[in-house]
Amino acid sequence: MPIKIATWNVNSIKSRLGIVTGWLKTNSPDIVLLQELKCETAAFPYMEIEDLGYNVAVNGQKTYNGVAVLSKFPIEEVIKDLPGDEADSHARYIEAVVSVSGNIVRAASVYVPNGQSVGSDKFAYKLKFLERLCENTRKLLEYDEIFVLGGDYNVAPEAIDVFDAARLDGSICFHPEERARLNALMHLGLTDTFRSSYPEARQYSWWDYRAGSFQQNLGMRIDMLLASPRAADLVIAAGIDEHPRALEKASDHAPVWVEIQEAGNPSLEN
């Protein structure tokens, strides 16, 4: 069977728990990367998630941020710090090494800062965070592993990824400086699994709660699963599931997923 990996900014795991567990039951992804948990590590709903067959690694924070890796396979190692700024206490990164039939799969969940407003301190923090993410990923790619870096990047890569490029150009999540840093990350050798599967698709992963944005499809594609060369060679399907976004009291993000070749395939062997 293929390995299905998903990423989803749930915008409060406690507020969306029923929606999240329902989606997990229906779609049964093997590895799930969650963002914006909005709860401390100890307050994560472990029982409800573990009852669905998942091992859980959490990097939580009270009220804000928070990321997690859920895996139906054993989790061998967990890293919660993004190097480059010892003073940064925000829970925005978690990386797990997963054992899939004796093969190593590295999966990381990242929640890039929004940046609030161009020119602000938070915008500068966002740019620096992307630079740190790029440098850390550069080192991880030296391992030549099956590696997927998924999450809410809070940056839409190209004009096709936003509902109105001319109107949004220069604004938060579509500013040239943000896009340049995201491009630097992808140019390390990562593949945007959705865009490589659908080069001309205009589909989004986030819609503002305000002004009927979802109903009018005024969205942005800011949630992505980026694959290392070894992982990209194994991709067999990818997509964005908009259904959960249409539910009552939904997250403003939709799950993004990718399937790679089954763990028993010789091409996954080290």
Side-chain angles (χ1 to χ4, degrees):
M1 295 290 291
I3 302 169
K4 187 171 185 177
I5 303 173
T7 184
W8 193 1
N9 178 322
V10 295
N11 191 11
S12 176
I13 185 64
K14 291 185 177 180
S15 298
R16 324 292 173 198
L17 185 57
I19 292 176
V20 171
T21 55
W23 190 82
L24 293 176
K25 290 174 185 177
T26 300
N27 294 273
S28 195
D30 300 288
I31 300 172
V32 187
L33 311 174
L34 300 179
Q35 302 87 42
E36 207 171 354
L37 304 177
K38 294 185 177 180
C39 72
E40 293 178 302
T41 300
F44 186 86
Y46 292 93
M47 183 177 67
E48 292 86 343
I49 302 299
E50 290 172 347
D51 283 349
L52 298 178
Y54 290 98
N55 300 296
V56 181
V58 178
N59 184 13
Q61 182 178 344
K62 186 177 181 179
T63 308
Y64 302 103
N65 307 321
V67 286
V69 177
L70 319 181
S71 173
K72 289 188 174 180
F73 308 107
I75 296 176
E76 305 291 344
E77 180 183 356
V78 177
I79 298 169
K80 297 184 179 182
D81 297 319
L82 182 65
D85 186 351
E86 293 182 359
D88 187 0
S89 60
H90 291 187
R92 293 184 174 275
Y93 184 83
I94 187 168
E95 174 190 324
V97 175
V98 176
S99 177
V100 183
S101 300
N103 299 289
I104 292 299
V105 174
R106 188 179 297 269
S109 177
V110 61
Y111 177 38
V112 175
N114 173 271
Q116 193 175 56
S117 61
V118 175
S120 68
D121 290 345
K122 291 185 178 180
F123 185 72
Y125 169 58
K126 179 179 188 175
L127 299 182
K128 182 63 176 177
F129 185 95
L130 285 165
E131 292 168 2
R132 291 163 55 202
L133 182 64
C134 185
E135 182 57 30
N136 187 62
T137 302
R138 185 194 311 277
K139 295 175 181 177
L140 291 178
L141 288 172
E142 293 176 359
Y143 296 139
D144 190 29
E145 297 172 327
I146 298 167
F147 168 48
V148 176
L149 177 63
D152 174 3
Y153 290 85
N154 264 314
V155 185
E158 305 291 344
I160 194 174
D161 299 308
V162 297
F163 70 90
D164 189 333
R167 170 181 162 186
L168 296 173
D169 191 27
S171 62
I172 284 293
C173 297
F174 198 57
H175 191 280
E177 290 191 52
E178 298 172 323
R179 285 148 54 200
R181 284 160 176 78
L182 180 62
N183 285 334
L185 173 66
M186 293 196 286
H187 288 167
L188 294 175
L190 296 172
T191 295
D192 179 348
T193 55
F194 176 83
R195 182 56 64 210
S196 65
S197 300
Y198 302 99
E200 299 180 2
R202 188 173 288 276
Q203 191 171 359
Y204 311 125
S205 65
W206 172 85
W207 301 259
D208 199 321
Y209 283 127
R210 298 169 293 183
S213 295
F214 179 69
Q215 291 74 14
Q216 299 176 68
N217 200 28
L218 304 180
M220 306 176 77
R221 192 176 70 91
I222 58 176
D223 304 86
M224 289 169 282
L225 289 160
L226 306 182
S228 68
R230 286 193 66 194
D233 286 345
L234 301 172
V235 171
I236 54 178
I240 300 173
D241 186 354
E242 298 178 14
H243 174 71
R245 178 62 178 84
L247 299 176
E248 186 177 355
K249 297 183 179 179
S251 168
D252 45 358
H253 295 254
V256 178
W257 58 271
V258 65
E259 288 186 351
I260 64 176
Q261 291 179 27
E262 62 186 43
N265 191 298
S267 59
L268 279 178
E269 296 179 358
N270 294 324

